[in-house]
């Protein structure tokens, strides 16, 4: 390798492909595939566009301080030191006045990567439990819910599986590329694929079975599968009797879902439901990989638990080809430890937003799982995929807006376009407008950053060293090397928290002066420094061990797989999974709308300002079935307004025979960087799905407080092409 080619873990999206980056004269010039043949296919066109993203002329390079009204987008440039001094000073005043819980932090963590949980460390030392993240709608909340049933969060054993069940999840060549490649490799070995998706998705097109369920009915579908599996005695009786509790109670609950009922709820033929259940239950090693689709539904907790239960009762838990429980990597100090969750007092933990009403991914459950987690996994706190100690975002934004039950007046947002990344965007705006201090750590002037008092420029993955560990989801460690220097005034998120901590007198708890020192510390348990790790190779993976529970039991209160959840029972929720109907359609709002279907050229709300990518998808589109379009007098390419009782967005209609009738798809995260200066907050309210999605109680899952993004009522109205979009498409 030439001196300026390095191994990278791409963070443009959150699957973290291993790639190589080339640089010349201190600038990234090219991103290319990995030189290991096993990894060479793991690259997509967003990864290839990294030079355009990292060298983008609009990248923020200097700290900015607001000079106009909040949101007016008027700034002065200041030094990093001045910004940090002023931020610390203002935060101290607010903490003195309102208590430490007045600070809320929103982050993603995927892309900033090198926080090393120092955000939690700082907050825990300060005394604030109010940390929220986009992972509350993604793998983070799945991790927390999985722990209720068997104490950890499994990963599909793609390399050995004989059957893959995709609940919506639709990896493609340019979306979660490594998983797409892993599924293809499994198919080449003869593995079966079952897809449950209202649309004929890319994965559905080539699947062995496709169940076109109505949006939002996944939990009912799983109950139907269990009905077949129990009635036909396809479950693993030995595992159930030795390792599960609550089987009889579960069986009674499942009996409430005869296939006729499930057919009615899901719209899928009952013979097909039975066939799919049999295919899954009888495969020798079958997996249900994680899916975000059940993270974003009104029955989310039940649906995620049902996936866990299916894995367990069919004997697919922690076995070859099933879904495996990794545990902490003994060679690398996990973020769960670095976060110092033990120093936050019980009183402060109890102030966490959501602790009382939607506790499942809050500290409340984390505390209930401490003992078994320590017994089985060696450490009491397991913050897997950062999602097991979170506050509830809806409660946080309500408190920011209303100052009830107590005022949240300071908001620090890092690598997260918060305004567009949760439900009820109107409320988030009001919440942010009611803050006394907002700090954004960003690469670009997003609508969220526009609302800040201070913007700190972030570094990017080509400018920092890292050892990625997938936040304890897997035990793999992968190397990401710095290729070029960051802009002089840019900082990593680690540096930001370190420098803030020093200003708060917590310097002793942040003894590492650089990222490399943090990496040395994290690797010390295996007797290596970062440099030594770097020399040893680009990746390491402990040999997987299956059925570890035989030695340790499961990390639940009973030590068994809890089909009947003792924790949910103690919290006063239904301990057994159930299906809850989402809000119904009406003559005025006749369609079921779902958000998502990720767009190949972008990651979430990002990259709309990167020409090479935007040209591939110039404008947001709403999908509709041809018969629905004809009935409503609509044509492909028409500009429309998609309206719900909560809000409306503007988009272009895409008539697709692969869509399910009666359903509409709205994309996530659209705003218009090119409209900066012309339209308030660069058009953040024109086409963003978060404008449509409510977080009123009737739209929230009970146990986690997760919003219902998959199947809410809406209508579509033809419009002229909006003036502000004349340039688009
Ligand atoms: N309404 C709605 N909300 C959603 C979803 C939805 O479908 N609808 N999806 C949810 C899901 S699945 C997820 S995973 C989350 C994702 O939420 P996020 O991960 O927050 O996703 P992005 O919108 O890409 O915002 C990331 C921001 O980080 C910035 N950034 C990128 N790299 C770096 C870096 O290295 N340092 C710094 N400081 N900044 C960086 C980017 O410029 C971008 O503005 O959103 C969730 N929220
Ligand atoms: N290019 C690109 N790749 C990405 C991302 C990106 O923004 N761009 N984002 C990444 C992130 S953070 C995530 S979380 C993943 C998400 O990626 P996926 O898991 O693939 O999720 P989506 O693409 O939102 O939707 C997948 C399918 O779910 C179906 N679906 C909709 N509603 C329901 C329902 O109620 N039940 C079921 N069973 N299916 C339903 C849709 O028809 C769609 O085909 O993608 C990752 N990959
Ligand atoms: S799929 Fe593309 S954007 Fe995501 S990590 Fe891989 S190369 Fe980067
Ligand atoms: Mo996600």
């Amino acid at each position: 390798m030439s001196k300026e080619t390095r191994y990278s873990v791409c963070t443009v999206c959150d699957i973290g492909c291993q790639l190589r980056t080339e640089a010349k004269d201190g600038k990234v010039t090219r991103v290319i595939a990995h030189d290991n043949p096993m990894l060479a296919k793991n690259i997509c066109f967003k990864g290839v566009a990294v030079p355009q993203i990292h060298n983008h002329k609009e990248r923020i390079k200097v700290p900015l301080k607001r000079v106009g009204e909040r949101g007016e987008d008027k700034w002065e440039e200041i030094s990093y030191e001045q910004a940090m001094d002023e931020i610390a000073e203002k935060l101290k005043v607010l903490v003195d006045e309102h208590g430490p819980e007045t600070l809320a932090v929103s982050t993603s963590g995927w892309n900033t990567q090198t926080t090393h949980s120092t955000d939690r460390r700082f907050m825990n030392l300060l005394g604030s439990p109010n940390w929220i993240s986009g992972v509350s709608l993604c793998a983070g909340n799945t991790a927390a819910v999985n722990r209720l049933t068997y104490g950890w969060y499994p990963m599909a054993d793609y390399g050995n599986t004989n059957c893959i069940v995709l609940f919506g999840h639709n990896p493609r060549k340019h979306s979660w590329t490594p998983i797409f490649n892993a599924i293809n490799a499994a198919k080449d070995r003869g593995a079966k694929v079952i897809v449950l998706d209202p649309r004929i998705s890319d994965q559905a097109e080539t699947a062995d079975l496709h169940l076109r369920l109505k949006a939002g009915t996944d939990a009912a579908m799983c109950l139907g599968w269990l009905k077949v599996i129990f009635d036909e005695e396809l479950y693993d009786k030995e595992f159930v009797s030795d390792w599960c509790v609550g089987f009889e109670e579960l069986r009674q609950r499942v009996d409430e879902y005869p296939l006729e009922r499930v057919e009615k709820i899901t719209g899928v033929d009952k013979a097909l439901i039975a066939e799919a259940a049999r295919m899954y239950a009888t495969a020798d090693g079958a997996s249900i990989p994680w899916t975000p689709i059940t993270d974003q539904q009104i029955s989310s907790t039940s649906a995620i638990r049902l996936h866990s239960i299916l894995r367990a009762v069919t004997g697919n838990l922690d076995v070859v080809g099933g879904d495996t429980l990794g545990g902490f990597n003994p060679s690398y100090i996990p973020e769960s430890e670095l976060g110092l969750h033990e120093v936050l007092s019980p009183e402060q933990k109890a102030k966490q937003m959501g602790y009382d009403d939607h506790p499942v991914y809050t500290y409340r459950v984390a505390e209930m799982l401490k003992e078994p987690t320590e017994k089985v996994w060696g450490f009491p706190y397991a913050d897997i995929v950062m999602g097991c100690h979170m506050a509830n975002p809806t409660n946080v934004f309500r408190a920011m807006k209303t100052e009830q039950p107590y005022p949240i007046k300071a908001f620090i947002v890092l690598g997260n376009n918060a305004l567009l990344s949760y439900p009820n965007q109107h409320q988030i705006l009001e919440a942010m407008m009611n803050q006394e201090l907002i700090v954004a750590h960003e690469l670009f002037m997003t609508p969220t950053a526009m609302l800040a008092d201070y913007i700190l420029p972030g570094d990017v993955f080509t400018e920092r060293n890292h050892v990625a560990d997938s936040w304890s989801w897997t035990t793999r460690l992968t190397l990401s090397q710095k290729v070029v220097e960051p802009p002089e005034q840019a900082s990593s998120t680690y540096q930001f928290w370190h420098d803030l901590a020093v200003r708060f007198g917590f310097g002793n708890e942040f003894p590492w002066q650089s990222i490399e020192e943090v990496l040395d510390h994290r690797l010390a348990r295996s007797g290596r420094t970062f440099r030594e790790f770097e020399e040893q190779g680009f990746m390491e993976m402990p040999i997987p061990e299956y059925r570890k529970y035989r030695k340790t039991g499961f990390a639940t209160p009973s030590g068994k797989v809890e089909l009947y959840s003792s924790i949910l029972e103690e919290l006063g929720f239904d301990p057994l999974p159930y299906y809850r109907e989402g809000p119904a359609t009406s003559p005025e709002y006749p369609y079921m709308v779902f958000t998502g279907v990720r767009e190949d050229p972008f990651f979430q709300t990002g990259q709309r300002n990167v020409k090479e990518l935007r040209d591939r998808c110039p404008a947001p589109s709403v999908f509709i079935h041809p018969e629905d379009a004809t009935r409503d007098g609509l044509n492909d390419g028409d500009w429309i307004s998609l309206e719900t009782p909560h809000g409306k967005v503007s988009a272009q209609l895409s008539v697709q025979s692969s869509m399910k009738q009666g359903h509409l798809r709205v994309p996530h995260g659209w705003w218009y960087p090119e409209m900066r200066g012309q339209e308030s907050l660069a058009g953040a309210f024109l086409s963003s799905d978060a404008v449509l999605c409510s977080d009123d109680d009737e739209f929230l899952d009970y146990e986690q407080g997760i919003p219902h993004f998959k199947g809410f009522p809406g209508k579509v109205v033809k419009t002229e092409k909006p003036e502000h979009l004349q340039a688009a498409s």
Side-chain angles (χ1 to χ4, degrees):
M1 235 193 241
S2 82
K3 205 170 168 214
E4 288 147 324
T5 304
R6 295 284 189 276
Y7 289 117
S8 296
V9 174
C10 176
T11 65
V12 175
C13 92
D14 46 9
I15 197 64
C17 290
Q18 299 184 62
L19 307 163
R20 287 174 303 158
T21 304
E22 293 179 351
K24 206 171 168 205
D25 302 328
K27 245 188 165 170
V28 169
T29 49
R30 205 157 71 115
V31 166
I32 52 174
H34 206 278
D35 51 2
N36 182 300
M38 301 282 288
L39 301 169
K41 279 194 195 165
N42 296 348
I43 183 164
C44 84
F45 52 52
K46 292 182 294 305
V48 172
V50 159
Q52 285 76 43
I53 301 170
H54 290 189
N55 300 325
H56 201 288
K57 64 177 187 321
E58 287 160 12
R59 193 170 149 196
I60 301 169
K61 297 215 173 85
V62 182
L64 300 173
K65 178 178 179 178
R66 173 168 71 83
V67 289
E69 293 298 311
R70 187 179 297 293
E72 226 189 342
D73 197 15
K74 292 196 179 135
W75 310 94
E76 65 172 330
E77 294 186 356
I78 58 171
S79 73
Y80 176 75
E81 291 302 319
Q82 184 190 338
M84 291 304 293
D85 284 344
E86 292 186 18
I87 291 165
E89 206 175 297
K90 290 183 180 165
L91 184 56
K92 277 181 196 164
V93 171
L94 293 169
V95 167
D96 283 348
E97 192 180 339
H98 304 292
E101 61 276 12
T102 203
L103 169 66
V105 172
S106 179
T107 182
S108 153
W110 305 118
N111 42 47
T112 54
Q113 194 186 55
T114 45
T115 305
H116 298 285
S117 215
T118 45
D119 45 355
R120 303 311 300 260
R121 195 176 181 94
F122 174 83
M123 293 174 79
N124 288 333
L125 289 162
L126 182 74
S128 174
N130 289 324
W131 185 94
I132 60 170
S133 166
V135 301
S136 61
L137 293 160
C138 198
N141 66 321
T142 338
V145 177
N146 268 267
R147 290 180 74 206
L148 297 175
T149 310
Y150 37 62
W152 197 263
Y153 182 29
M155 171 60 87
D157 189 5
Y158 290 105
N160 297 302
T161 194
N162 286 314
C163 178
I164 299 173
V165 183
L166 298 169
F167 278 88
H169 195 36
N170 183 34
R172 301 181 302 277
K173 196 165 175 7
H174 301 283
S175 171
W176 275 41
T177 311
I179 303 296
F180 171 74
N181 292 332
I183 293 171
N184 285 347
K187 279 187 195 163
D188 289 346
R189 282 190 294 98
K192 302 268 189 253
V193 175
I194 304 171
V195 169
L196 301 101
D197 194 314
R199 292 187 317 131
I200 307 171
S201 67
D202 308 64
Q203 285 293 342
E205 241 170 62
T206 58
D208 294 276
L209 293 180
H210 177 201
L211 283 65
R212 294 189 77 175
L213 76 179
K214 291 181 197 157
T217 62
D218 297 70
M221 177 61 75
C222 295
L223 286 156
W225 282 31
L226 284 173
K227 178 77 179 137
V228 175
I229 290 167
F230 292 164
D231 286 356
E232 300 185 11
E233 306 207 9
L234 302 176
Y235 57 100
D236 183 335
K237 289 187 184 142
E238 200 181 322
F239 182 82
V240 166
S241 81
D242 291 353
W243 288 104
C244 298
V245 290
F247 181 73
E248 281 315 316
E249 292 90 336
L250 174 66
R251 195 165 183 158
Q252 278 178 25
R253 173 59 54 86
V254 167
D255 280 340
E256 294 171 25
Y257 293 85
L259 287 198
E260 293 68 27
R261 182 177 174 203
V262 176
E263 178 178 279
K264 205 156 165 248
I265 297 171
T266 61
V268 178
D269 183 83
K270 63 181 197 271
L272 187 56
I273 299 175
E275 191 183 349
R278 284 182 205 122
M279 186 181 275
Y280 169 70
T282 57
D284 181 14
S287 59
I288 304 178
W290 163 77
T291 167
I293 307 307
T294 42
D295 291 345
Q296 306 172 350
Q297 294 186 13
I298 201 161
S299 306
S300 174
T301 305
S302 282
I304 299 170
R305 281 233 317 129
L306 282 158
H307 292 168
S308 310
I309 289 169
L310 278 164
R311 293 173 186 130
V313 298
T314 56
N316 280 305
L317 194 59
D318 218 20
V319 298
V320 177
D323 294 286
T324 55
L325 304 165
F328 295 117
N329 183 324
S331 303
Y332 198 51
I333 295 181
E335 296 215 349
S336 303
E337 263 186 75
L338 291 166
L340 290 184
H341 297 288
E342 64 279 12
V343 308
L344 188 66
S345 69
E347 294 72 35
Q348 291 307 105
K349 281 184 176 139
K351 288 184 191 164
Q352 188 169 46
M353 290 289 162
Y355 190 96
D356 294 324
D357 40 1
H358 303 296
V360 160
Y361 56 62
T362 69
Y363 275 123
R364 188 148 159 224
V365 166
E367 294 294 311
M368 294 164 86
L369 282 169
K370 254 168 68 176
E371 236 175 79
T373 305
E374 176 150 39
K375 183 168 160 266
V376 173
W377 301 111
F379 189 73
Y381 290 99
D383 198 9
I384 312 169
V385 199
M386 302 170 282
C388 303
H389 304 78
M390 295 184 286
N392 182 278
T394 283
N395 293 51
V396 166
F397 291 119
R398 277 185 199 153
M400 284 166 67
K401 177 180 141 186
T402 63
E403 308 188 8
Q404 295 301 324
Y406 55 78
I408 293 184
K409 301 299 278 184
F411 188 50
I412 301 183
V413 54
L414 303 97
N416 169 243
N417 198 354
L419 181 67
L420 286 74
S421 295
Y422 298 98
N424 196 355
Q425 189 164 318
H426 295 284
Q427 172 168 277
I428 303 174
L429 178 64
E430 287 176 72
M432 290 181 75
M433 292 307 287
N434 195 32
Q435 294 303 287
E436 303 215 358
L437 174 65
I438 301 179
V439 180
H441 194 281
E442 248 302 341
L443 309 181
F444 294 105
M445 190 57 84
T446 63
T448 304
M450 282 176 199
L451 289 163
D453 297 286
Y454 296 91
I455 304 176
L456 294 166
D459 64 1
V460 289
F461 74 81
T462 52
E463 298 164 355
R464 60 195 177 213
N465 287 311
H466 191 51
V467 175
D469 74 339
S470 69
W471 301 274
S472 299
W473 193 358
T474 69
T475 50
R476 192 180 58 189
L477 299 180
T478 48
L479 172 69
S480 192
Q481 295 171 299
K482 176 172 174 168
V483 199
V484 293
E485 289 300 323
E488 215 171 292
Q489 298 280 318
S491 62
S492 64
T493 48
Y494 171 72
Q495 202 66 44
F496 168 77
W497 290 113
H498 172 275
D499 296 348
L500 194 62
V502 167
R503 284 167 171 80
F504 270 78
F506 306 145
N508 286 345
E509 298 289 348
F510 287 75
W512 317 287
Q513 299 306 316
S514 64
I515 294 265
E516 290 71 23
E517 287 186 23
V518 181
L519 292 169
D520 288 347
H521 170 68
R522 294 188 69 177
L523 286 161
R525 235 169 237 173
S526 61
R528 290 171 296 179
T529 62
F530 172 68
R531 292 293 164 216
E532 285 160 352
F533 180 87
E534 208 177 6
E535 278 158 22
Q536 281 167 358
F538 56 85
M539 174 165 67
E540 67 182 38
M541 223 166 3
I543 297 166
E545 218 187 300
Y546 296 97
R547 299 190 198 273
K548 295 174 286 297
Y549 57 85
R550 285 181 172 165
K551 286 191 239 156
T552 57
F554 289 96
T556 56
S558 60
K560 300 255 173 114
V561 174
E562 298 203 353
L563 307 175
Y564 181 100
S565 167
S566 65
I567 291 188
L568 288 176
E569 182 173 46
E570 202 177 324
L571 294 169
F573 295 106
D574 192 336
L576 292 166
Y578 58 89
Y579 167 70
R580 179 175 160 214
E581 198 80 46
T585 54
S586 64
E588 194 186 353
Y589 296 102
Y591 287 98
M592 272 296 167
V593 186
F594 61 81
T595 71
V597 185
R598 302 310 182 191
E599 283 152 335
D600 282 349
F602 315 121
F603 177 65
Q604 306 294 93
T605 74
Q607 294 90 36
R608 304 309 191 274
N609 59 346
V610 179
K611 186 176 180 324
E612 291 77 359
L613 296 174
R614 180 72 178 275
D615 283 350
R616 293 176 182 271
C617 181
S621 61
V622 161
F623 302 168
I624 192 168
H625 188 272
E627 283 182 28
D628 290 332
T630 306
R631 194 192 53 242
D632 286 357
L634 299 164
N635 291 304
D636 190 59
D638 281 351
W639 279 89
I640 53 102
S641 166
L642 171 52
E643 304 182 5
T644 70
H646 198 72
K648 58 179 178 184
V649 298
S650 181
Q652 206 169 8
L653 205 63
S654 175
V655 179
Q656 303 189 354
S657 53
S658 56
M659 253 316 263
K660 188 170 172 68
Q661 281 186 33
H663 285 58
L664 298 171
R665 167 266 188 174
V666 61
H668 166 52
W670 272 84
W671 59 288
Y672 301 92
E674 68 276 17
M675 288 170 58
R676 187 176 169 199
Q678 300 157 37
E679 187 78 25
S680 165
L681 300 175
F685 281 80
L686 299 176
S687 299
S688 161
D689 62 333
V691 168
L692 298 178
C693 300
S694 168
D695 61 0
D696 291 348
D697 286 341
E698 58 168 325
F699 287 85
L700 296 183
D701 159 278
Y702 296 130
E703 299 86 345
Q704 304 166 67
I706 281 299
H708 192 55
F709 283 178
K710 307 296 178 199
F712 49 87
K715 67 177 171 189
V716 59
V717 180
K718 190 170 169 170
T719 60
E720 290 301 307
K721 182 170 182 174
E723 198 149 317
H724 52 265
L725 292 173
Q726 290 303 332
S729 139

